[in-house]
Amino acid sequence: MNKPVDINAAEKPTPITRAELGDALWFGAVKIRFGQCDPAGIVYTPQFFDIFNVVIEDWYAQALGLNYYEIIGQRRIGLGYVSAHSDFFAPARMGDILDIAVVVERVGNASFALLLHAFKGKQEALRGRFTVVTTDLNLHKSIPIPADLRHALLEYAK
C-alpha cells in the first residue's frame, strides 16, 4: 500500500544566501530563455538539468583548467551522472539571471559529487546534486578518476 512519505522538517533543505558560500567558489551566470519556460512562464523543470550541465561543462574549463570535450572526445573518458537531484526553493522566469556556484562535496575512487547552488539575486532559487562517475567510453565500465582530474578536483575543493 502506498503511504505518503513523512519528512521531518529538520530534513527538508532550506535555501541559503549567496553570502553564506563566500567568495572562493567559481560561479557561472545563466540567463533564462523563453524556450526554457513552460506556459506559466517559469522554467520547465527538466530544463534545469540541462542548465546545470552547461554550467558544469564551463566549470571544468574555467575553474579546473580541463577541457571537458577533450576528456570525453579524445581521451574517451565518460563523465556521466549516476545520480542527479534538485531541490526547488523559488521559481525562475524568463529573463532571470541565475548565478550558479559549483561545490565539490566528495571525491572517491571512480566518482565524485558536485553540489550546485543557483541564486536569483542573493537568495538561492534551487540546488542540484550530481554524482559523476568516470568511465571508459569504449568498454562502458567505471574507471578510477584520472590523475589530472583528481588533482584539479581536490585543489578546487580546498
Side-chain angles (χ1 to χ4, degrees), residues 72-78 135-141 143:
I72 294 172
Q74 294 169 344
R75 294 171 63 181
R76 303 291 298 148
I77 297 168
T135 59
D136 179 313
L137 288 176
N138 296 319
L139 301 175
H140 300 289
K141 295 187 179 201
I143 59 171

Side-chain angles (χ1 to χ4, degrees), residues 10-31:
E11 296 173 8
K12 290 182 184 177
T14 56
I16 62 172
T17 64
R18 186 171 170 153
E20 290 178 67
L21 285 182
D23 296 325
L25 295 174
W26 179 88
F27 280 82
V30 175
K31 184 174 187 172

Side-chain angles (χ1 to χ4, degrees), residues 32 41-43 48 88-93 96 98 120 124-126:
I32 301 302
I42 60 175
V43 175
F48 279 118
F88 300 91
F89 306 116
R93 293 180 165 76
D96 285 348
L98 297 179
K120 195 165 83 170
E124 188 177 22
L126 72 143

Side-chain angles (χ1 to χ4, degrees), residues 12 27 30 58 66 69 77 91 94 96 104 142 145 148 154:
K12 290 182 184 177
F27 280 82
V30 175
D58 290 345
L66 298 172
Y69 310 106
I77 297 168
M94 289 183 279
D96 285 348
V104 174
S142 66
I145 298 169
D148 59 338
L154 293 173

Side-chain angles (χ1 to χ4, degrees), residues 28-46:
V30 175
K31 184 174 187 172
I32 301 302
R33 307 289 178 175
F34 171 80
Q36 295 170 312
C37 296
D38 63 17
I42 60 175
V43 175
Y44 177 55
T45 304

